[in-house]
Amino acid sequence: MKAPRVTLDQWRTLQAVIDHGGFAQAAEMLHRSQSSVSYTVARMQEQLGVPLLRIDGRKAVLTEAGEVLLRRSRQLVMQAGQLEDLAHHMEQGWEAEVRLVVDAAYPNAKLIHALTDFMPQSRGCRVRLREEVLSGVEDVLRDGTADLAISALDINGYLGTGLSSVEFVAVAHANHPLHQLQRKLSVQDLQSQMQIVVRDSGQRQPRDSGWLGAEQRWTVGSLATSVGFVSSGLGFAWLPRHMIGRELAEGILKPLPLIQGGVRRPLFYLYTNHNKPLGPATQILIDLIKTYDAQAQPASVGSAQASKQPRNAS
């Protein structure tokens, strides 16, 4: 790659001339002599081979080419400043990236609120968000490829901070044969029908959480697919209430009247990678996750915003 002929300092000088109304004003702002500023801009034009300024009366104004190049240079100078700030923050122990793995059943709206508030405090720290299902979260945490993890599992060897619970409801389409029975339903009633199960994304010890041993079982790759199948009348499943609010409100889905177990409320936990010290950005994100988790669940977002990652819970 060819080295640039014009330096960032030269672009800053040109910006100062335009922003402050002339060479004398720019020189005062930059604490330089006016002749130094004039020479810098003249040298830029010579190096670029393009006139950047023209004299209009007693004032230097941008040429058409100068306007385009100055506009592009502003972003270049800003990004260079951000890069230097990031290096400074990293020197002080500020992380370049926080890696967060989340069970796909955890409410997306709560994460969005936390990350929205994290952004202006991040100082350039990136967030790498990964969605997994059941033991898939544990696998990523144990592999050391996550700094934070949100899971409903009790992960051995890790101390989790309790978050809120997520309500799973046993549902089927309003016209499903199970609703036609018009009575309380037993496990035997369910075992005779198609159950939609979402695949555990873990590789070490994948689980069949929630499966009732029915002969007819379809395994799908995500909660969103499960919502779509059940809403179309293809079987029953336990689905997070925050993902099916619209379908329940419109009567597309109805809760199954089970004798027991129609609603499950697993508690979620926030885990940290205990093999890596917590940096300041990670700690800020932890605090924001806990803050928004404690707030009331936002209005139902419907299956259109349901997670697209697998879960082996039915």
Side-chain angles (χ1 to χ4, degrees), residues 105-149:
Y106 186 76
N108 212 24
K110 293 187 175 186
L111 285 178
I112 291 173
H113 285 304
L115 293 172
T116 298
D117 271 12
F118 177 73
M119 188 181 300
Q121 304 179 58
S122 66
R123 302 188 191 179
C125 176
R126 300 188 306 271
V127 174
R128 188 185 297 263
L129 177 62
R130 177 172 174 176
E131 288 185 316
E132 295 287 342
V133 178
L134 286 173
S135 69
V137 176
E138 179 178 355
D139 285 359
V140 174
L141 183 63
R142 291 191 183 281
D143 287 344
T145 51
D147 304 308
L148 300 174

Short mmCIF file of all heavy atoms in Angstrom, two decimals, residues 105-149:
data_model
loop_
_atom_site.label_atom_id
_atom_site.label_comp_id
_atom_site.label_asym_id
_atom_site.label_seq_id
_atom_site.Cartn_x
_atom_site.Cartn_y
_atom_site.Cartn_z
N ALA A 105 -33.54 -17.69 24.79
CA ALA A 105 -34.84 -17.47 25.41
C ALA A 105 -34.87 -16.22 26.28
O ALA A 105 -35.94 -15.77 26.69
CB ALA A 105 -35.25 -18.68 26.25
N TYR A 106 -33.70 -15.66 26.56
CA TYR A 106 -33.67 -14.47 27.41
C TYR A 106 -34.24 -13.29 26.62
O TYR A 106 -33.94 -13.13 25.42
CB TYR A 106 -32.24 -14.16 27.85
CG TYR A 106 -32.14 -13.03 28.84
CD1 TYR A 106 -32.49 -13.23 30.17
CD2 TYR A 106 -31.71 -11.77 28.44
CE1 TYR A 106 -32.41 -12.18 31.08
CE2 TYR A 106 -31.64 -10.73 29.35
CZ TYR A 106 -31.99 -10.94 30.67
OH TYR A 106 -31.91 -9.90 31.57
N PRO A 107 -35.05 -12.44 27.25
CA PRO A 107 -35.72 -11.34 26.52
C PRO A 107 -34.74 -10.41 25.81
O PRO A 107 -33.89 -9.77 26.44
CB PRO A 107 -36.48 -10.61 27.63
CG PRO A 107 -36.72 -11.64 28.67
CD PRO A 107 -35.51 -12.52 28.65
N ASN A 108 -34.87 -10.33 24.52
CA ASN A 108 -34.00 -9.49 23.70
C ASN A 108 -34.15 -8.01 24.05
O ASN A 108 -33.19 -7.25 24.00
CB ASN A 108 -34.35 -9.72 22.23
CG ASN A 108 -33.14 -9.58 21.33
OD1 ASN A 108 -32.02 -9.75 21.76
ND2 ASN A 108 -33.38 -9.26 20.08
N ALA A 109 -35.36 -7.61 24.42
CA ALA A 109 -35.61 -6.20 24.71
C ALA A 109 -34.76 -5.71 25.87
O ALA A 109 -34.28 -4.57 25.87
CB ALA A 109 -37.09 -5.98 25.01
N LYS A 110 -34.55 -6.55 26.87
CA LYS A 110 -33.73 -6.15 28.02
C LYS A 110 -32.28 -5.95 27.61
O LYS A 110 -31.61 -5.02 28.07
CB LYS A 110 -33.84 -7.19 29.13
CG LYS A 110 -35.23 -7.27 29.75
CD LYS A 110 -35.26 -8.19 30.96
CE LYS A 110 -36.64 -8.15 31.63
NZ LYS A 110 -36.68 -8.93 32.89
N LEU A 111 -31.79 -6.82 26.75
CA LEU A 111 -30.42 -6.67 26.26
C LEU A 111 -30.26 -5.40 25.43
O LEU A 111 -29.26 -4.69 25.54
CB LEU A 111 -30.02 -7.88 25.41
CG LEU A 111 -29.70 -9.18 26.14
CD1 LEU A 111 -29.39 -10.27 25.13
CD2 LEU A 111 -28.53 -8.98 27.09
N ILE A 112 -31.25 -5.11 24.60
CA ILE A 112 -31.19 -3.92 23.75
C ILE A 112 -31.10 -2.66 24.62
O ILE A 112 -30.31 -1.75 24.35
CB ILE A 112 -32.40 -3.86 22.81
CG1 ILE A 112 -32.29 -4.97 21.75
CG2 ILE A 112 -32.52 -2.49 22.15
CD1 ILE A 112 -33.51 -5.11 20.88
N HIS A 113 -31.89 -2.59 25.68
CA HIS A 113 -31.85 -1.43 26.57
C HIS A 113 -30.47 -1.31 27.23
O HIS A 113 -29.91 -0.21 27.31
CB HIS A 113 -32.93 -1.55 27.64
CG HIS A 113 -34.31 -1.27 27.15
ND1 HIS A 113 -34.66 -0.09 26.52
CD2 HIS A 113 -35.44 -2.01 27.19
CE1 HIS A 113 -35.94 -0.12 26.20
NE2 HIS A 113 -36.44 -1.29 26.59
N ALA A 114 -29.93 -2.44 27.71
CA ALA A 114 -28.62 -2.41 28.37
C ALA A 114 -27.53 -1.97 27.40
O ALA A 114 -26.67 -1.15 27.73
CB ALA A 114 -28.32 -3.78 28.96
N LEU A 115 -27.54 -2.52 26.19
CA LEU A 115 -26.50 -2.20 25.21
C LEU A 115 -26.64 -0.77 24.69
O LEU A 115 -25.64 -0.12 24.36
CB LEU A 115 -26.55 -3.20 24.06
CG LEU A 115 -26.15 -4.64 24.45
CD1 LEU A 115 -26.41 -5.60 23.29
CD2 LEU A 115 -24.68 -4.70 24.86
N THR A 116 -27.87 -0.28 24.61
CA THR A 116 -28.08 1.11 24.19
C THR A 116 -27.44 2.08 25.18
O THR A 116 -26.80 3.06 24.79
CB THR A 116 -29.58 1.41 24.05
OG1 THR A 116 -30.14 0.55 23.04
CG2 THR A 116 -29.81 2.86 23.65
N ASP A 117 -27.60 1.79 26.47
CA ASP A 117 -26.99 2.64 27.49
C ASP A 117 -25.48 2.42 27.59
O ASP A 117 -24.74 3.32 28.01
CB ASP A 117 -27.63 2.36 28.85
CG ASP A 117 -28.84 3.24 29.10
OD1 ASP A 117 -29.30 3.88 28.13
OD2 ASP A 117 -29.33 3.29 30.24
N PHE A 118 -25.03 1.22 27.20
CA PHE A 118 -23.60 0.94 27.26
C PHE A 118 -22.83 1.71 26.19
O PHE A 118 -21.69 2.13 26.41
CB PHE A 118 -23.36 -0.56 27.08
CG PHE A 118 -21.91 -0.97 27.05
CD1 PHE A 118 -21.14 -0.96 28.20
CD2 PHE A 118 -21.32 -1.36 25.85
CE1 PHE A 118 -19.80 -1.32 28.17
CE2 PHE A 118 -19.98 -1.73 25.81
CZ PHE A 118 -19.22 -1.70 26.97
N MET A 119 -23.46 1.91 25.04
CA MET A 119 -22.76 2.49 23.89
C MET A 119 -22.06 3.81 24.21
O MET A 119 -20.86 3.96 23.93
CB MET A 119 -23.73 2.65 22.72
CG MET A 119 -23.05 3.06 21.41
SD MET A 119 -24.25 3.26 20.06
CE MET A 119 -24.95 1.62 19.99
N PRO A 120 -22.75 4.81 24.81
CA PRO A 120 -22.05 6.08 25.06
C PRO A 120 -20.99 6.00 26.15
O PRO A 120 -20.18 6.91 26.30
CB PRO A 120 -23.18 7.03 25.47
CG PRO A 120 -24.26 6.14 25.97
CD PRO A 120 -24.17 4.89 25.16
N GLN A 121 -20.97 4.90 26.91
CA GLN A 121 -19.98 4.73 27.96
C GLN A 121 -18.84 3.80 27.55
O GLN A 121 -17.90 3.59 28.30
CB GLN A 121 -20.63 4.15 29.23
CG GLN A 121 -21.81 4.94 29.76
CD GLN A 121 -22.41 4.29 30.99
OE1 GLN A 121 -21.74 4.07 32.00
NE2 GLN A 121 -23.69 3.95 30.92
N SER A 122 -18.92 3.24 26.35
CA SER A 122 -18.04 2.15 25.96
C SER A 122 -16.61 2.57 25.62
O SER A 122 -15.72 1.73 25.59
CB SER A 122 -18.64 1.42 24.76
OG SER A 122 -18.67 2.27 23.62
N ARG A 123 -16.40 3.85 25.29
CA ARG A 123 -15.08 4.35 24.91
C ARG A 123 -14.47 3.52 23.77
O ARG A 123 -13.29 3.20 23.78
CB ARG A 123 -14.12 4.35 26.10
CG ARG A 123 -14.57 5.17 27.28
CD ARG A 123 -13.48 5.26 28.32
NE ARG A 123 -13.98 5.84 29.56
CZ ARG A 123 -13.22 6.01 30.64
NH1 ARG A 123 -11.95 5.65 30.62
NH2 ARG A 123 -13.73 6.54 31.73
N GLY A 124 -15.29 3.14 22.83
CA GLY A 124 -14.81 2.37 21.68
C GLY A 124 -14.78 0.88 21.89
O GLY A 124 -14.44 0.13 20.97
N CYS A 125 -15.12 0.41 23.08
CA CYS A 125 -15.14 -1.04 23.33
C CYS A 125 -16.27 -1.69 22.53
O CYS A 125 -17.42 -1.28 22.60
CB CYS A 125 -15.33 -1.29 24.83
SG CYS A 125 -15.48 -3.04 25.27
N ARG A 126 -15.92 -2.72 21.78
CA ARG A 126 -16.92 -3.44 20.99
C ARG A 126 -17.63 -4.48 21.86
O ARG A 126 -17.11 -4.93 22.88
CB ARG A 126 -16.27 -4.16 19.81
CG ARG A 126 -15.56 -3.25 18.84
CD ARG A 126 -15.12 -4.04 17.60
NE ARG A 126 -14.33 -5.20 17.97
CZ ARG A 126 -13.02 -5.20 18.12
NH1 ARG A 126 -12.34 -4.09 17.94
NH2 ARG A 126 -12.37 -6.29 18.44
N VAL A 127 -18.82 -4.88 21.44
CA VAL A 127 -19.54 -5.98 22.07
C VAL A 127 -19.73 -7.07 21.03
O VAL A 127 -20.24 -6.81 19.94
CB VAL A 127 -20.90 -5.53 22.63
CG1 VAL A 127 -21.68 -6.74 23.16
CG2 VAL A 127 -20.71 -4.51 23.74
N ARG A 128 -19.31 -8.27 21.37
CA ARG A 128 -19.53 -9.42 20.50
C ARG A 128 -20.61 -10.28 21.16
O ARG A 128 -20.37 -10.97 22.15
CB ARG A 128 -18.25 -10.21 20.32
CG ARG A 128 -18.35 -11.33 19.26
CD ARG A 128 -17.08 -12.15 19.23
NE ARG A 128 -15.94 -11.35 18.85
CZ ARG A 128 -15.46 -11.30 17.61
NH1 ARG A 128 -16.02 -12.01 16.65
NH2 ARG A 128 -14.40 -10.56 17.33
N LEU A 129 -21.83 -10.21 20.61
CA LEU A 129 -22.97 -10.92 21.18
C LEU A 129 -23.21 -12.22 20.42
O LEU A 129 -23.28 -12.23 19.20
CB LEU A 129 -24.23 -10.04 21.11
CG LEU A 129 -25.54 -10.67 21.61
CD1 LEU A 129 -25.44 -11.03 23.08
CD2 LEU A 129 -26.70 -9.73 21.35
N ARG A 130 -23.35 -13.29 21.19
CA ARG A 130 -23.57 -14.61 20.59
C ARG A 130 -24.75 -15.27 21.29
O ARG A 130 -24.83 -15.27 22.52
CB ARG A 130 -22.31 -15.46 20.75
CG ARG A 130 -22.40 -16.88 20.25
CD ARG A 130 -21.04 -17.53 20.29
NE ARG A 130 -21.08 -18.94 19.95
CZ ARG A 130 -20.00 -19.71 19.84
NH1 ARG A 130 -18.80 -19.20 20.04
NH2 ARG A 130 -20.12 -20.99 19.52
N GLU A 131 -25.68 -15.81 20.52
CA GLU A 131 -26.83 -16.51 21.09
C GLU A 131 -26.64 -18.02 20.96
O GLU A 131 -26.26 -18.52 19.90
CB GLU A 131 -28.11 -16.08 20.38
CG GLU A 131 -28.54 -14.66 20.72
CD GLU A 131 -29.88 -14.30 20.11
OE1 GLU A 131 -30.09 -14.61 18.91
OE2 GLU A 131 -30.69 -13.72 20.81
N GLU A 132 -26.91 -18.71 22.05
CA GLU A 132 -26.85 -20.16 22.07
C GLU A 132 -28.09 -20.68 22.78
O GLU A 132 -28.94 -19.90 23.23
CB GLU A 132 -25.58 -20.64 22.80
CG GLU A 132 -24.27 -20.27 22.10
CD GLU A 132 -24.01 -21.07 20.84
OE1 GLU A 132 -24.64 -22.14 20.67
OE2 GLU A 132 -23.17 -20.64 20.03
N VAL A 133 -28.20 -22.00 22.89
CA VAL A 133 -29.36 -22.60 23.52
C VAL A 133 -28.92 -23.60 24.57
O VAL A 133 -28.05 -24.43 24.32
CB VAL A 133 -30.24 -23.30 22.47
CG1 VAL A 133 -31.44 -23.96 23.11
CG2 VAL A 133 -30.69 -22.31 21.43
N LEU A 134 -29.53 -23.49 25.75
CA LEU A 134 -29.25 -24.41 26.86
C LEU A 134 -27.77 -24.61 27.08
O LEU A 134 -27.05 -23.67 27.37
CB LEU A 134 -29.99 -25.73 26.64
CG LEU A 134 -31.51 -25.68 26.87
CD1 LEU A 134 -32.16 -26.99 26.47
CD2 LEU A 134 -31.84 -25.34 28.32
N SER A 135 -27.26 -25.84 26.91
CA SER A 135 -25.86 -26.12 27.24
C SER A 135 -24.88 -25.47 26.27
O SER A 135 -23.68 -25.44 26.54
CB SER A 135 -25.62 -27.63 27.27
OG SER A 135 -25.71 -28.20 25.99
N GLY A 136 -25.38 -24.92 25.16
CA GLY A 136 -24.50 -24.19 24.25
C GLY A 136 -23.87 -22.99 24.93
O GLY A 136 -22.72 -22.65 24.67
N VAL A 137 -24.62 -22.34 25.83
CA VAL A 137 -24.07 -21.21 26.58
C VAL A 137 -22.93 -21.70 27.48
O VAL A 137 -21.87 -21.08 27.56
CB VAL A 137 -25.17 -20.54 27.42
CG1 VAL A 137 -24.58 -19.43 28.29
CG2 VAL A 137 -26.28 -19.99 26.54
N GLU A 138 -23.16 -22.81 28.16
CA GLU A 138 -22.14 -23.36 29.05
C GLU A 138 -20.87 -23.74 28.27
O GLU A 138 -19.76 -23.46 28.73
CB GLU A 138 -22.68 -24.60 29.77
CG GLU A 138 -21.68 -25.25 30.70
CD GLU A 138 -22.26 -26.44 31.45
OE1 GLU A 138 -23.48 -26.71 31.31
OE2 GLU A 138 -21.49 -27.11 32.17
N ASP A 139 -21.02 -24.33 27.11
CA ASP A 139 -19.86 -24.71 26.30
C ASP A 139 -19.00 -23.49 25.96
O ASP A 139 -17.78 -23.53 26.07
CB ASP A 139 -20.32 -25.38 24.99
CG ASP A 139 -20.82 -26.80 25.20
OD1 ASP A 139 -20.78 -27.28 26.36
OD2 ASP A 139 -21.24 -27.43 24.22
N VAL A 140 -19.65 -22.41 25.55
CA VAL A 140 -18.91 -21.21 25.16
C VAL A 140 -18.20 -20.61 26.37
O VAL A 140 -17.05 -20.18 26.28
CB VAL A 140 -19.87 -20.18 24.51
CG1 VAL A 140 -19.14 -18.87 24.25
CG2 VAL A 140 -20.44 -20.73 23.21
N LEU A 141 -18.88 -20.60 27.52
CA LEU A 141 -18.27 -20.06 28.73
C LEU A 141 -17.06 -20.88 29.14
O LEU A 141 -15.99 -20.34 29.46
CB LEU A 141 -19.29 -20.01 29.85
CG LEU A 141 -18.83 -19.40 31.18
CD1 LEU A 141 -18.45 -17.94 31.00
CD2 LEU A 141 -19.92 -19.53 32.24
N ARG A 142 -17.19 -22.21 29.11
CA ARG A 142 -16.09 -23.08 29.53
C ARG A 142 -14.93 -23.03 28.53
O ARG A 142 -13.77 -23.22 28.92
CB ARG A 142 -16.57 -24.52 29.70
CG ARG A 142 -17.52 -24.71 30.88
CD ARG A 142 -17.77 -26.18 31.18
NE ARG A 142 -18.72 -26.37 32.25
CZ ARG A 142 -18.41 -26.25 33.55
NH1 ARG A 142 -17.18 -25.96 33.91
NH2 ARG A 142 -19.34 -26.45 34.47
N ASP A 143 -15.23 -22.79 27.28
CA ASP A 143 -14.17 -22.68 26.27
C ASP A 143 -13.33 -21.41 26.45
O ASP A 143 -12.28 -21.27 25.81
CB ASP A 143 -14.77 -22.68 24.86
CG ASP A 143 -15.28 -24.05 24.44
OD1 ASP A 143 -14.89 -25.04 25.10
OD2 ASP A 143 -16.07 -24.12 23.49
N GLY A 144 -13.82 -20.50 27.26
CA GLY A 144 -13.10 -19.25 27.47
C GLY A 144 -13.33 -18.22 26.38
O GLY A 144 -12.63 -17.21 26.32
N THR A 145 -14.32 -18.47 25.51
CA THR A 145 -14.58 -17.54 24.40
C THR A 145 -15.71 -16.58 24.74
O THR A 145 -16.30 -15.97 23.85
CB THR A 145 -14.90 -18.31 23.11
OG1 THR A 145 -15.93 -19.27 23.38
CG2 THR A 145 -13.67 -19.02 22.60
N ALA A 146 -16.05 -16.46 26.02
CA ALA A 146 -17.04 -15.48 26.48
C ALA A 146 -16.55 -14.86 27.78
O ALA A 146 -15.95 -15.54 28.62
CB ALA A 146 -18.40 -16.14 26.68
N ASP A 147 -16.80 -13.56 27.93
CA ASP A 147 -16.50 -12.88 29.17
C ASP A 147 -17.70 -12.91 30.10
O ASP A 147 -17.55 -12.97 31.32
CB ASP A 147 -16.11 -11.43 28.88
CG ASP A 147 -14.93 -11.33 27.92
OD1 ASP A 147 -13.91 -11.97 28.18
OD2 ASP A 147 -15.06 -10.62 26.90
N LEU A 148 -18.90 -12.86 29.51
CA LEU A 148 -20.15 -12.89 30.27
C LEU A 148 -21.09 -13.89 29.63
O LEU A 148 -21.07 -14.09 28.41
CB LEU A 148 -20.82 -11.51 30.27
CG LEU A 148 -20.04 -10.34 30.87
CD1 LEU A 148 -20.80 -9.04 30.66
CD2 LEU A 148 -19.77 -10.58 32.34
N ALA A 149 -21.93 -14.52 30.45
CA ALA A 149 -22.89 -15.49 29.93
C ALA A 149 -24.19 -15.37 30.69
O ALA A 149 -24.20 -15.17 31.92
CB ALA A 149 -22.34 -16.91 30.06
#
